[in-house]
Amino acid sequence: EPGRRITGRVIDEDGAPVSAAEVSLETSQLIRYAPSYQARTTPDGRFEISSVAPGQYQVNAEAEGFAPMTRGDLLAVRDREIEDLELVLGRSGTVAGQVLGLDPEQLARVEILADDGRISRHGSVDVQGRYSVRDLSAGSWEVTARLVNEQR
């Protein structure tokens, strides 16, 4: 049985199209080789995902400069195409700080992670230990710094 076509668009909170957004469908089933599908939006915010197998999918979208979103309900793909699915990306924030007490060689091996209990985002660290994690949604985030290959 051939899959279904899913089309839609990604917009910001003001209704403007979001170009180059990543849209993904991930199955809710816990099977080993569960299908997932991805598409990138065109300059007018539109996307198309072809050959989607029937099932229930979590819909995600993200783009630089916006907070990532996950649709609240599962998308049910059944016996016909889904058209004009609209996904809205909200404004994002940045968490910034500084890692102290390490030499430059160690700072090059620091991994920064922000987690809100639903998603995790990686950050970057410069040679002075300043870090930032971008494109975060509003809310509480736990930020951890880990020195890779050491117990610190």
Side-chain angles (χ1 to χ4, degrees):
E1 172 180 310
R4 304 295 172 236
R5 189 172 70 106
I6 313 295
T7 63
R9 67 187 198 131
V10 178
I11 58 174
D12 67 15
E13 294 169 320
D14 298 324
V18 177
S19 176
E22 290 285 337
V23 177
S24 65
L25 304 178
E26 297 175 10
T27 184
S28 60
Q29 300 166 351
L30 297 175
I31 55 178
R32 186 174 192 144
Y33 297 105
S36 67
Y37 305 91
Q38 283 134 10
R40 184 178 292 271
T41 59
T42 58
D44 64 356
R46 299 207 172 276
F47 67 89
E48 178 178 323
I49 303 174
S50 300
S51 302
V52 178
Q56 302 268 74
Y57 294 91
Q58 178 178 305
V59 180
N60 307 297
E62 62 179 73
E64 188 172 333
F66 295 92
M69 66 82 60
T70 297
R71 198 174 118 133
D73 58 333
L74 293 176
L75 180 68
V77 175
R78 301 260 188 264
D79 56 355
R80 51 182 194 265
E81 295 180 348
I82 296 174
E83 298 177 330
D84 300 321
L85 182 64
E86 190 171 86
L87 305 173
V88 180
L89 291 179
R91 300 192 194 323
S92 68
T94 298
V95 172
Q98 188 169 16
V99 177
L100 302 171
L102 299 177
D103 62 46
E105 178 198 295
Q106 290 172 310
L107 286 171
R109 292 184 286 121
V110 170
E111 186 177 84
I112 300 289
L113 189 68
D115 189 298
D116 74 348
R118 294 175 303 123
I119 63 168
S120 297
R121 308 277 296 174
H122 287 273
S124 58
V125 181
D126 69 14
V127 294
Q128 274 89 38
R130 294 183 300 245
Y131 69 84
S132 64
V133 185
R134 301 178 53 210
D135 301 337
L136 302 176
S137 57
S140 296
W141 290 83
E142 180 178 316
V143 178
T144 56
R146 183 173 79 91
L147 189 54
V148 178
N149 296 329
E150 288 194 30
Q151 298 298 320
R152 255 175 130 171

